[in-house]
Amino acid sequence: MAIDVMPDWVANLDDEDINFVKKFLLASGSLKEVAAVYGVTYPTVRLRLDRLIQKIQISEDTTNEPYISLIKRLAVNDKIDFDTAKVLISEYKKLEKEN
């Protein structure tokens, strides 16, 4: 059965993320095997998986406004730090309440 429409959470992943998911599935979910494939430690792979999970959760969270989702994605992708993300989201919510 082919999928006619790609789910948003998949569309929001970059090529590197898709490749990681493919390797994870081919390794039957074994983080130890994935670590060996990438030549990194288990904790490194675990961190990568945790960030990927966060990305998917952000994509699936329909309660967030687009701006808040963008800030969260930037934080998960290490484009901005989490403290900055919290400040930006907090200030945005304050402005929304005022309007």
Side-chain angles (χ1 to χ4, degrees):
M1 170 196 319
I3 298 176
D4 292 333
V5 178
M6 185 181 305
D8 287 341
W9 69 267
V10 175
N12 288 330
L13 300 178
D14 55 33
D15 291 342
E16 195 175 303
D17 293 331
I18 298 290
N19 193 34
F20 179 86
V21 170
K22 179 181 176 183
K23 288 181 182 188
F24 180 72
L25 292 173
L26 291 173
S28 300
S30 169
L31 295 180
K32 185 177 179 181
E33 276 188 48
V34 175
V37 168
Y38 279 104
V40 296
T41 64
Y42 176 94
T44 301
V45 172
R46 180 72 239 184
L47 179 63
R48 176 73 194 273
L49 180 61
D50 289 343
R51 288 195 175 163
L52 188 54
I53 290 168
Q54 287 176 331
K55 271 187 180 181
I56 293 169
Q57 288 171 333
I58 290 169
S59 294
E60 293 290 294
D61 186 0
T62 57
T63 61
N64 280 334
E65 296 182 33
Y67 177 79
I68 293 174
S69 293
L70 170 66
I71 296 302
K72 287 182 176 182
R73 274 195 311 275
L74 290 171
V76 168
N77 290 325
D78 287 330
K79 303 295 183 191
I80 61 173
D81 62 78
F82 281 101
D83 290 333
T84 302
K86 287 179 190 177
V87 169
L88 289 171
I89 291 170
S90 175
E91 291 299 316
Y92 177 77
K93 287 181 177 180
K94 283 181 193 175
L95 287 172
E96 287 294 303
K97 281 184 183 179
E98 291 174 6
N99 295 331

